[in-house]
């Protein structure tokens, strides 16, 4: 998709906030090394600028979902360790080895197939995934996991056993029954097995609320480093975290309409008196959902409601009085004494904050600030 660099709508990525959150997470979790999940375009913030800011801000490694994301990082000469969280086709084993990309492995069959492609020029770094209750990918019994480790160690010329991991399905809730069950399974499956360089089992919730119960020297987090409190206020207020993302635009057309005029598709909003209406160049084609009708953006330190249906590329807001074209509009972020958080947007849309973030489209221009 084309990136709209000529349009005033853009996502701001705060380097200062990201660095702050790295420090907070390290202090709370006791982690020495953090892998930041930058999959899905860094949760919508922008893969390359966010990855660069994260490494500069103290992140040790980066976690992605697919090979292509890892290669995009290497293409930008980012040299930090990279972990692929999903299953990669075995035929790309040599490519991952040469690019120093860590593969998640969940079966002995995969290792045996990958061995056919590895030349030994570079060893493939492998992290073995264990399914303790997520029900997604991973070894589910100790014997098959042990056999895979044995195979890797018996083929040290082409493999390097560097990681052992699981993923908690529910680590950010006051109800800890399922978390405890997964933790017990983890110990049952892995205790006494050869130890790799990285035990990475702590996601954002486990790192922030269960650090004393899980291996936490190396953690693998996402939302919390982006300034989103994982439990959404249930376990922590998250005040020490700083929002990394802001979304801003400006009005490109302002007009006064008389009473009785319809706004946008289907005329679900009609002016009740003379009203000043501003048009803002962002819409659901950018990931600003139609559900956001009625949400209040911030203009000149004042709230202004979105009126009428959000269109694909534009939306309209009701203004307290006339403003000139080019007046700044804050959709997410601070303006004056007011702030719209990602959580505010999520609550209005009845979605999780990370759904809002990852829904931000490539057309939005992204910039690093501070």
């Amino acid at each position: 998709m084309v990136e709209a660099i000529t349009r005033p709508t853009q996502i701001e990525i705060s380097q200062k906030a990201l660095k702050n959150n790295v420090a907070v997470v390290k202090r709370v979790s006791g982690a020495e090394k953090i892998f930041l999940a930058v999959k899905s375009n860094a949760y919508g913030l922008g893969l390359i600028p966010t990855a660069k800011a994260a490494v500069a801000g103290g992140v040790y490694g980066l976690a992605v979902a697919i090979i292509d994301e890892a290669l995009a990082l290497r293409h930008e000469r980012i040299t930090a360790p990279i972990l692929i969280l999903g299953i990669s086709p075995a035929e790309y084993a040599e490519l991952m080895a040469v690019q120093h990309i860590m593969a998640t492995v969940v079966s002995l069959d995969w290792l045996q197939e990958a061995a056919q492609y590895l030349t030994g020029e570079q060893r493939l770094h492998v992290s073995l995934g264990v399914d303790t209750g997520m029900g997604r990918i991973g070894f589910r019994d100790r014997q098959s996991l042990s056999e895979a480790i044995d195979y890797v160690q018996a083929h040290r010329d082409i493999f390097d056993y560097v990681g052992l991991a699981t993923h908690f399905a529910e680590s950010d809730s006051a109800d800890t029954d399922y978390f405890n069950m997964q933790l017990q399974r983890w110990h049952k499956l892995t205790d006494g097995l050869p130890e790799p360089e990285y035990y990475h089992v702590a996601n954002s919730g486990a790192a922030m609320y269960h650090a004393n119960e899980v291996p936490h020297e190396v953690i693998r987090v996402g939302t919390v480093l982006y300034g989103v409190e994982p439990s959404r206020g249930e376990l922590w207020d998250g005040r020490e975290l700083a929002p990394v993302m802001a979304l801003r635009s400006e009005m490109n057309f302002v007009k006064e309409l008389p009473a009785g005029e319809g706004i946008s598709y289907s005329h679900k909003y009609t002016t009740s008196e003379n009203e000043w209406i501003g048009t803002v160049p962002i819409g659901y084609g950018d990931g600003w959902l139609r559900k956001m009708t009625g949400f209040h953006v911030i203009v000149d330190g004042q709230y202004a409601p979105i009126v009428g249906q959000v269109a694909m590329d534009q939306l309209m807001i009701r203004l307290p009085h006339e403003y000139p074209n080019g007046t700044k509009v804050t959709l997410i972020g601070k303006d004056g004494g007011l702030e719209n958080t990602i959580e505010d947007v999520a609550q209005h849309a009845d979605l999780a904050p990370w759904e809002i973030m990852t829904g931000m489209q490539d057309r939005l221009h992204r910039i690093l600030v501070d």
Side-chain angles (χ1 to χ4, degrees), residues 281-321:
I282 184 174
Y284 64 80
D286 301 292
W288 190 259
L289 304 174
R290 295 180 73 177
K291 290 182 177 182
M292 297 314 297
T293 295
F295 186 76
H296 287 67
V297 301
I298 309 172
V299 177
D300 190 29
Q302 302 176 75
Y303 285 122
I306 298 173
V307 294
Q309 289 194 33
V310 175
M312 186 179 294
D313 314 301
Q314 301 174 86
L315 58 81
M316 277 66 78
I317 57 178
R318 188 178 70 236
L319 303 169
H321 52 77

mmCIF file of all heavy atoms in Angstrom, residues 281-321:
data_model
loop_
_atom_site.group_PDB
_atom_site.id
_atom_site.type_symbol
_atom_site.label_atom_id
_atom_site.label_comp_id
_atom_site.label_asym_id
_atom_site.label_seq_id
_atom_site.Cartn_x
_atom_site.Cartn_y
_atom_site.Cartn_z
ATOM 1 N N PRO A 281 -8.740 14.442 7.252
ATOM 2 C CA PRO A 281 -8.389 13.412 6.264
ATOM 3 C C PRO A 281 -7.880 12.110 6.890
ATOM 4 O O PRO A 281 -6.690 11.773 6.842
ATOM 5 C CB PRO A 281 -7.311 14.103 5.427
ATOM 6 C CG PRO A 281 -6.649 15.039 6.378
ATOM 7 C CD PRO A 281 -7.748 15.521 7.284
ATOM 8 N N ILE A 282 -8.797 11.361 7.472
ATOM 9 C CA ILE A 282 -8.530 10.012 7.976
ATOM 10 C C ILE A 282 -9.867 9.288 8.032
ATOM 11 O O ILE A 282 -10.913 9.912 8.268
ATOM 12 C CB ILE A 282 -7.865 10.041 9.372
ATOM 13 C CG1 ILE A 282 -7.515 8.625 9.824
ATOM 14 C CG2 ILE A 282 -8.733 10.766 10.387
ATOM 15 C CD1 ILE A 282 -6.724 8.564 11.127
ATOM 16 N N GLY A 283 -9.839 7.979 7.784
ATOM 17 C CA GLY A 283 -11.084 7.228 7.808
ATOM 18 C C GLY A 283 -10.836 5.754 8.061
ATOM 19 O O GLY A 283 -9.733 5.338 8.439
ATOM 20 N N TYR A 284 -11.877 4.961 7.817
ATOM 21 C CA TYR A 284 -11.724 3.530 8.112
ATOM 22 C C TYR A 284 -10.756 2.849 7.168
ATOM 23 O O TYR A 284 -10.224 1.782 7.471
ATOM 24 C CB TYR A 284 -13.081 2.821 8.152
ATOM 25 C CG TYR A 284 -13.865 2.777 6.859
ATOM 26 C CD1 TYR A 284 -13.556 1.848 5.862
ATOM 27 C CD2 TYR A 284 -14.948 3.618 6.651
ATOM 28 C CE1 TYR A 284 -14.292 1.791 4.684
ATOM 29 C CE2 TYR A 284 -15.688 3.565 5.487
ATOM 30 C CZ TYR A 284 -15.364 2.652 4.500
ATOM 31 O OH TYR A 284 -16.096 2.591 3.333
ATOM 32 N N GLY A 285 -10.440 3.471 6.041
ATOM 33 C CA GLY A 285 -9.397 2.945 5.163
ATOM 34 C C GLY A 285 -8.012 3.048 5.769
ATOM 35 O O GLY A 285 -7.068 2.409 5.303
ATOM 36 N N ASP A 286 -7.900 3.857 6.826
ATOM 37 C CA ASP A 286 -6.644 3.990 7.561
ATOM 38 C C ASP A 286 -6.651 3.177 8.848
ATOM 39 O O ASP A 286 -5.644 3.137 9.563
ATOM 40 C CB ASP A 286 -6.401 5.457 7.917
ATOM 41 C CG ASP A 286 -6.342 6.331 6.687
ATOM 42 O OD1 ASP A 286 -5.379 6.193 5.918
ATOM 43 O OD2 ASP A 286 -7.261 7.161 6.497
ATOM 44 N N GLY A 287 -7.801 2.573 9.165
ATOM 45 C CA GLY A 287 -7.931 1.827 10.407
ATOM 46 C C GLY A 287 -8.690 2.572 11.484
ATOM 47 O O GLY A 287 -8.848 2.065 12.594
ATOM 48 N N TRP A 288 -9.161 3.794 11.182
ATOM 49 C CA TRP A 288 -9.990 4.530 12.143
ATOM 50 C C TRP A 288 -11.442 4.110 11.886
ATOM 51 O O TRP A 288 -12.104 4.603 11.000
ATOM 52 C CB TRP A 288 -9.804 6.035 11.974
ATOM 53 C CG TRP A 288 -10.450 6.814 13.095
ATOM 54 C CD1 TRP A 288 -11.641 7.455 13.058
ATOM 55 C CD2 TRP A 288 -9.932 6.994 14.419
ATOM 56 N NE1 TRP A 288 -11.915 8.028 14.269
ATOM 57 C CE2 TRP A 288 -10.878 7.763 15.137
ATOM 58 C CE3 TRP A 288 -8.781 6.580 15.074
ATOM 59 C CZ2 TRP A 288 -10.701 8.137 16.466
ATOM 60 C CZ3 TRP A 288 -8.598 6.942 16.402
ATOM 61 C CH2 TRP A 288 -9.537 7.710 17.078
ATOM 62 N N LEU A 289 -11.920 3.192 12.675
ATOM 63 C CA LEU A 289 -13.138 2.440 12.396
ATOM 64 C C LEU A 289 -14.400 3.303 12.349
ATOM 65 O O LEU A 289 -14.487 4.348 13.000
ATOM 66 C CB LEU A 289 -13.310 1.349 13.455
ATOM 67 C CG LEU A 289 -12.138 0.374 13.616
ATOM 68 C CD1 LEU A 289 -12.378 -0.549 14.792
ATOM 69 C CD2 LEU A 289 -11.928 -0.420 12.340
ATOM 70 N N ARG A 290 -15.396 2.807 11.640
ATOM 71 C CA ARG A 290 -16.692 3.490 11.599
ATOM 72 C C ARG A 290 -17.332 3.539 12.984
ATOM 73 O O ARG A 290 -18.146 4.416 13.273
ATOM 74 C CB ARG A 290 -17.617 2.787 10.607
ATOM 75 C CG ARG A 290 -17.128 2.879 9.168
ATOM 76 C CD ARG A 290 -18.054 2.169 8.204
ATOM 77 N NE ARG A 290 -19.284 2.911 7.999
ATOM 78 C CZ ARG A 290 -20.248 2.524 7.148
ATOM 79 N NH1 ARG A 290 -20.094 1.409 6.449
ATOM 80 N NH2 ARG A 290 -21.335 3.240 7.002
ATOM 81 N N LYS A 291 -16.929 2.596 13.843
ATOM 82 C CA LYS A 291 -17.430 2.595 15.223
ATOM 83 C C LYS A 291 -17.038 3.855 15.986
ATOM 84 O O LYS A 291 -17.592 4.132 17.051
ATOM 85 C CB LYS A 291 -16.873 1.390 15.985
ATOM 86 C CG LYS A 291 -17.407 0.044 15.557
ATOM 87 C CD LYS A 291 -16.812 -1.047 16.437
ATOM 88 C CE LYS A 291 -17.377 -2.410 16.105
ATOM 89 N NZ LYS A 291 -16.838 -3.465 17.005
ATOM 90 N N MET A 292 -16.092 4.608 15.458
ATOM 91 C CA MET A 292 -15.579 5.765 16.191
ATOM 92 C C MET A 292 -16.459 6.995 16.049
ATOM 93 O O MET A 292 -16.160 8.051 16.629
ATOM 94 C CB MET A 292 -14.155 6.083 15.742
ATOM 95 C CG MET A 292 -13.149 4.972 16.040
ATOM 96 S SD MET A 292 -13.280 4.309 17.716
ATOM 97 C CE MET A 292 -12.862 5.761 18.681
ATOM 98 N N THR A 293 -17.565 6.909 15.311
ATOM 99 C CA THR A 293 -18.529 7.995 15.303
ATOM 100 C C THR A 293 -18.977 8.275 16.733
ATOM 101 O O THR A 293 -19.288 7.360 17.494
ATOM 102 C CB THR A 293 -19.748 7.625 14.436
ATOM 103 O OG1 THR A 293 -19.332 7.498 13.075
ATOM 104 C CG2 THR A 293 -20.828 8.697 14.527
ATOM 105 N N GLY A 294 -18.989 9.537 17.120
ATOM 106 C CA GLY A 294 -19.361 9.912 18.476
ATOM 107 C C GLY A 294 -18.170 10.082 19.400
ATOM 108 O O GLY A 294 -18.306 10.678 20.483
ATOM 109 N N PHE A 295 -17.025 9.552 19.019
ATOM 110 C CA PHE A 295 -15.812 9.723 19.831
ATOM 111 C C PHE A 295 -15.358 11.174 19.742
ATOM 112 O O PHE A 295 -15.538 11.838 18.715
ATOM 113 C CB PHE A 295 -14.714 8.795 19.309
ATOM 114 C CG PHE A 295 -13.464 8.780 20.137
ATOM 115 C CD1 PHE A 295 -13.430 8.099 21.339
ATOM 116 C CD2 PHE A 295 -12.316 9.441 19.717
ATOM 117 C CE1 PHE A 295 -12.273 8.062 22.115
ATOM 118 C CE2 PHE A 295 -11.156 9.416 20.478
ATOM 119 C CZ PHE A 295 -11.142 8.728 21.684
ATOM 120 N N HIS A 296 -14.761 11.671 20.816
ATOM 121 C CA HIS A 296 -14.312 13.054 20.857
ATOM 122 C C HIS A 296 -12.813 13.147 20.583
ATOM 123 O O HIS A 296 -11.998 12.625 21.350
ATOM 124 C CB HIS A 296 -14.617 13.676 22.227
ATOM 125 C CG HIS A 296 -16.070 13.975 22.446
ATOM 126 N ND1 HIS A 296 -17.026 12.982 22.546
ATOM 127 C CD2 HIS A 296 -16.728 15.157 22.557
ATOM 128 C CE1 HIS A 296 -18.212 13.533 22.735
ATOM 129 N NE2 HIS A 296 -18.065 14.846 22.745
ATOM 130 N N VAL A 297 -12.445 13.781 19.491
ATOM 131 C CA VAL A 297 -11.049 14.109 19.234
ATOM 132 C C VAL A 297 -10.738 15.413 19.960
ATOM 133 O O VAL A 297 -11.617 16.026 20.569
ATOM 134 C CB VAL A 297 -10.774 14.220 17.723
ATOM 135 C CG1 VAL A 297 -11.105 12.904 17.029
ATOM 136 C CG2 VAL A 297 -11.578 15.369 17.102
ATOM 137 N N ILE A 298 -9.480 15.840 19.895
ATOM 138 C CA ILE A 298 -9.076 17.046 20.611
ATOM 139 C C ILE A 298 -8.604 18.101 19.612
ATOM 140 O O ILE A 298 -7.740 17.824 18.772
ATOM 141 C CB ILE A 298 -7.960 16.760 21.629
ATOM 142 C CG1 ILE A 298 -8.347 15.578 22.531
ATOM 143 C CG2 ILE A 298 -7.673 17.998 22.475
ATOM 144 C CD1 ILE A 298 -7.212 15.105 23.438
ATOM 145 N N VAL A 299 -9.196 19.284 19.711
ATOM 146 C CA VAL A 299 -8.840 20.419 18.856
ATOM 147 C C VAL A 299 -8.592 21.626 19.751
ATOM 148 O O VAL A 299 -9.476 22.014 20.534
ATOM 149 C CB VAL A 299 -9.959 20.740 17.842
ATOM 150 C CG1 VAL A 299 -9.581 21.967 17.015
ATOM 151 C CG2 VAL A 299 -10.236 19.550 16.943
ATOM 152 N N ASP A 300 -7.402 22.185 19.687
ATOM 153 C CA ASP A 300 -7.101 23.402 20.442
ATOM 154 C C ASP A 300 -7.387 23.215 21.933
ATOM 155 O O ASP A 300 -7.932 24.100 22.594
ATOM 156 C CB ASP A 300 -7.915 24.567 19.875
ATOM 157 C CG ASP A 300 -7.499 25.918 20.436
ATOM 158 O OD1 ASP A 300 -6.310 26.071 20.804
ATOM 159 O OD2 ASP A 300 -8.367 26.808 20.533
ATOM 160 N N GLY A 301 -7.038 22.049 22.467
ATOM 161 C CA GLY A 301 -7.242 21.796 23.884
ATOM 162 C C GLY A 301 -8.688 21.608 24.291
ATOM 163 O O GLY A 301 -9.024 21.671 25.477
ATOM 164 N N GLN A 302 -9.563 21.335 23.317
ATOM 165 C CA GLN A 302 -10.978 21.112 23.591
ATOM 166 C C GLN A 302 -11.443 19.846 22.878
ATOM 167 O O GLN A 302 -10.925 19.485 21.820
ATOM 168 C CB GLN A 302 -11.828 22.287 23.091
ATOM 169 C CG GLN A 302 -11.460 23.636 23.679
ATOM 170 C CD GLN A 302 -12.290 24.745 23.061
ATOM 171 O OE1 GLN A 302 -13.470 24.920 23.346
ATOM 172 N NE2 GLN A 302 -11.665 25.515 22.170
ATOM 173 N N TYR A 303 -12.430 19.174 23.458
ATOM 174 C CA TYR A 303 -12.992 18.005 22.811
ATOM 175 C C TYR A 303 -13.945 18.411 21.695
ATOM 176 O O TYR A 303 -14.715 19.369 21.831
ATOM 177 C CB TYR A 303 -13.746 17.133 23.817
ATOM 178 C CG TYR A 303 -12.845 16.326 24.728
ATOM 179 C CD1 TYR A 303 -12.934 16.465 26.116
ATOM 180 C CD2 TYR A 303 -11.914 15.426 24.203
ATOM 181 C CE1 TYR A 303 -12.109 15.720 26.956
ATOM 182 C CE2 TYR A 303 -11.088 14.691 25.038
ATOM 183 C CZ TYR A 303 -11.187 14.844 26.414
ATOM 184 O OH TYR A 303 -10.375 14.118 27.232
ATOM 185 N N ALA A 304 -13.873 17.667 20.603
ATOM 186 C CA ALA A 304 -14.769 17.894 19.468
ATOM 187 C C ALA A 304 -15.283 16.536 18.997
ATOM 188 O O ALA A 304 -14.484 15.658 18.670
ATOM 189 C CB ALA A 304 -14.032 18.610 18.337
ATOM 190 N N PRO A 305 -16.597 16.318 18.972
ATOM 191 C CA PRO A 305 -17.136 15.004 18.622
ATOM 192 C C PRO A 305 -17.090 14.715 17.123
ATOM 193 O O PRO A 305 -17.272 15.617 16.293
ATOM 194 C CB PRO A 305 -18.580 15.080 19.121
ATOM 195 C CG PRO A 305 -18.929 16.536 19.008
ATOM 196 C CD PRO A 305 -17.658 17.281 19.333
ATOM 197 N N ILE A 306 -16.860 13.457 16.789
ATOM 198 C CA ILE A 306 -16.987 13.006 15.407
ATOM 199 C C ILE A 306 -18.467 12.870 15.108
ATOM 200 O O ILE A 306 -19.209 12.189 15.831
ATOM 201 C CB ILE A 306 -16.266 11.664 15.198
ATOM 202 C CG1 ILE A 306 -14.766 11.816 15.472
ATOM 203 C CG2 ILE A 306 -16.514 11.127 13.789
ATOM 204 C CD1 ILE A 306 -14.000 10.502 15.460
ATOM 205 N N VAL A 307 -18.933 13.517 14.059
ATOM 206 C CA VAL A 307 -20.357 13.502 13.709
ATOM 207 C C VAL A 307 -20.551 12.860 12.333
ATOM 208 O O VAL A 307 -19.710 13.018 11.437
ATOM 209 C CB VAL A 307 -20.968 14.915 13.738
ATOM 210 C CG1 VAL A 307 -20.966 15.451 15.166
ATOM 211 C CG2 VAL A 307 -20.208 15.870 12.823
ATOM 212 N N GLY A 308 -21.635 12.126 12.183
ATOM 213 C CA GLY A 308 -21.879 11.422 10.929
ATOM 214 C C GLY A 308 -20.989 10.194 10.833
ATOM 215 O O GLY A 308 -20.048 9.995 11.606
ATOM 216 N N GLN A 309 -21.282 9.351 9.882
ATOM 217 C CA GLN A 309 -20.497 8.129 9.706
ATOM 218 C C GLN A 309 -19.066 8.452 9.273
ATOM 219 O O GLN A 309 -18.849 9.329 8.435
ATOM 220 C CB GLN A 309 -21.148 7.219 8.655
ATOM 221 C CG GLN A 309 -22.435 6.570 9.101
ATOM 222 C CD GLN A 309 -22.844 5.427 8.169
ATOM 223 O OE1 GLN A 309 -21.989 4.741 7.620
ATOM 224 N NE2 GLN A 309 -24.137 5.242 7.996
ATOM 225 N N VAL A 310 -18.123 7.732 9.852
ATOM 226 C CA VAL A 310 -16.737 7.824 9.405
ATOM 227 C C VAL A 310 -16.654 7.220 8.006
ATOM 228 O O VAL A 310 -17.101 6.092 7.776
ATOM 229 C CB VAL A 310 -15.802 7.072 10.362
ATOM 230 C CG1 VAL A 310 -14.372 7.059 9.816
ATOM 231 C CG2 VAL A 310 -15.846 7.702 11.754
ATOM 232 N N ALA A 311 -16.132 7.978 7.054
ATOM 233 C CA ALA A 311 -15.993 7.494 5.682
ATOM 234 C C ALA A 311 -14.636 6.802 5.512
ATOM 235 O O ALA A 311 -13.835 6.723 6.446
ATOM 236 C CB ALA A 311 -16.134 8.650 4.701
ATOM 237 N N MET A 312 -14.377 6.294 4.314
ATOM 238 C CA MET A 312 -13.154 5.538 4.094
ATOM 239 C C MET A 312 -11.906 6.398 4.273
ATOM 240 O O MET A 312 -10.898 5.939 4.810
ATOM 241 C CB MET A 312 -13.147 4.918 2.697
ATOM 242 C CG MET A 312 -11.963 4.001 2.432
ATOM 243 S SD MET A 312 -11.988 3.248 0.781
ATOM 244 C CE MET A 312 -13.424 2.196 0.900
ATOM 245 N N ASP A 313 -11.968 7.664 3.853
ATOM 246 C CA ASP A 313 -10.774 8.507 3.833
ATOM 247 C C ASP A 313 -10.920 9.794 4.629
ATOM 248 O O ASP A 313 -9.938 10.532 4.770
ATOM 249 C CB ASP A 313 -10.426 8.879 2.389
ATOM 250 C CG ASP A 313 -10.480 7.679 1.463
ATOM 251 O OD1 ASP A 313 -9.743 6.724 1.721
ATOM 252 O OD2 ASP A 313 -11.289 7.696 0.512
ATOM 253 N N GLN A 314 -12.116 10.089 5.116
ATOM 254 C CA GLN A 314 -12.361 11.360 5.785
ATOM 255 C C GLN A 314 -13.398 11.178 6.899
ATOM 256 O O GLN A 314 -14.184 10.242 6.887
ATOM 257 C CB GLN A 314 -12.881 12.409 4.796
ATOM 258 C CG GLN A 314 -11.945 12.682 3.632
ATOM 259 C CD GLN A 314 -12.559 13.612 2.595
ATOM 260 O OE1 GLN A 314 -12.471 14.831 2.715
ATOM 261 N NE2 GLN A 314 -13.205 13.039 1.604
ATOM 262 N N LEU A 315 -13.379 12.106 7.842
ATOM 263 C CA LEU A 315 -14.425 12.162 8.857
ATOM 264 C C LEU A 315 -14.695 13.627 9.174
ATOM 265 O O LEU A 315 -13.901 14.514 8.840
ATOM 266 C CB LEU A 315 -14.024 11.378 10.119
ATOM 267 C CG LEU A 315 -12.738 11.773 10.856
ATOM 268 C CD1 LEU A 315 -12.938 12.972 11.783
ATOM 269 C CD2 LEU A 315 -12.212 10.590 11.666
ATOM 270 N N MET A 316 -15.836 13.862 9.810
ATOM 271 C CA MET A 316 -16.229 15.224 10.156
ATOM 272 C C MET A 316 -16.365 15.372 11.671
ATOM 273 O O MET A 316 -16.776 14.443 12.364
ATOM 274 C CB MET A 316 -17.548 15.607 9.479
ATOM 275 C CG MET A 316 -17.372 16.087 8.044
ATOM 276 S SD MET A 316 -16.784 14.785 6.920
ATOM 277 C CE MET A 316 -18.305 13.873 6.643
ATOM 278 N N ILE A 317 -16.010 16.560 12.162
ATOM 279 C CA ILE A 317 -16.126 16.851 13.582
ATOM 280 C C ILE A 317 -16.905 18.156 13.770
ATOM 281 O O ILE A 317 -16.867 19.048 12.914
ATOM 282 C CB ILE A 317 -14.748 16.959 14.259
ATOM 283 C CG1 ILE A 317 -13.877 18.026 13.584
ATOM 284 C CG2 ILE A 317 -14.045 15.605 14.240
ATOM 285 C CD1 ILE A 317 -12.512 18.227 14.241
ATOM 286 N N ARG A 318 -17.641 18.220 14.903
ATOM 287 C CA ARG A 318 -18.381 19.444 15.230
ATOM 288 C C ARG A 318 -17.500 20.339 16.084
ATOM 289 O O ARG A 318 -16.960 19.909 17.108
ATOM 290 C CB ARG A 318 -19.676 19.112 15.972
ATOM 291 C CG ARG A 318 -20.586 20.330 16.168
ATOM 292 C CD ARG A 318 -21.884 19.991 16.861
ATOM 293 N NE ARG A 318 -21.648 19.656 18.271
ATOM 294 C CZ ARG A 318 -22.033 18.518 18.835
ATOM 295 N NH1 ARG A 318 -22.655 17.589 18.111
ATOM 296 N NH2 ARG A 318 -21.785 18.290 20.122
ATOM 297 N N LEU A 319 -17.366 21.611 15.670
ATOM 298 C CA LEU A 319 -16.461 22.551 16.316
ATOM 299 C C LEU A 319 -17.238 23.562 17.159
ATOM 300 O O LEU A 319 -18.385 23.898 16.832
ATOM 301 C CB LEU A 319 -15.642 23.296 15.255
ATOM 302 C CG LEU A 319 -14.821 22.402 14.306
ATOM 303 C CD1 LEU A 319 -14.272 23.241 13.154
ATOM 304 C CD2 LEU A 319 -13.696 21.714 15.063
ATOM 305 N N PRO A 320 -16.607 24.079 18.213
ATOM 306 C CA PRO A 320 -17.288 25.093 19.023
ATOM 307 C C PRO A 320 -17.398 26.434 18.302
ATOM 308 O O PRO A 320 -18.275 27.242 18.596
ATOM 309 C CB PRO A 320 -16.406 25.196 20.269
ATOM 310 C CG PRO A 320 -15.050 24.746 19.832
ATOM 311 C CD PRO A 320 -15.310 23.681 18.803
ATOM 312 N N HIS A 321 -16.485 26.675 17.359
ATOM 313 C CA HIS A 321 -16.510 27.903 16.577
ATOM 314 C C HIS A 321 -15.623 27.700 15.359
ATOM 315 O O HIS A 321 -15.040 26.624 15.164
ATOM 316 C CB HIS A 321 -16.037 29.106 17.406
ATOM 317 C CG HIS A 321 -14.712 28.897 18.077
ATOM 318 N ND1 HIS A 321 -13.509 28.974 17.412
ATOM 319 C CD2 HIS A 321 -14.394 28.599 19.375
ATOM 320 C CE1 HIS A 321 -12.512 28.740 18.244
ATOM 321 N NE2 HIS A 321 -13.025 28.500 19.449
#
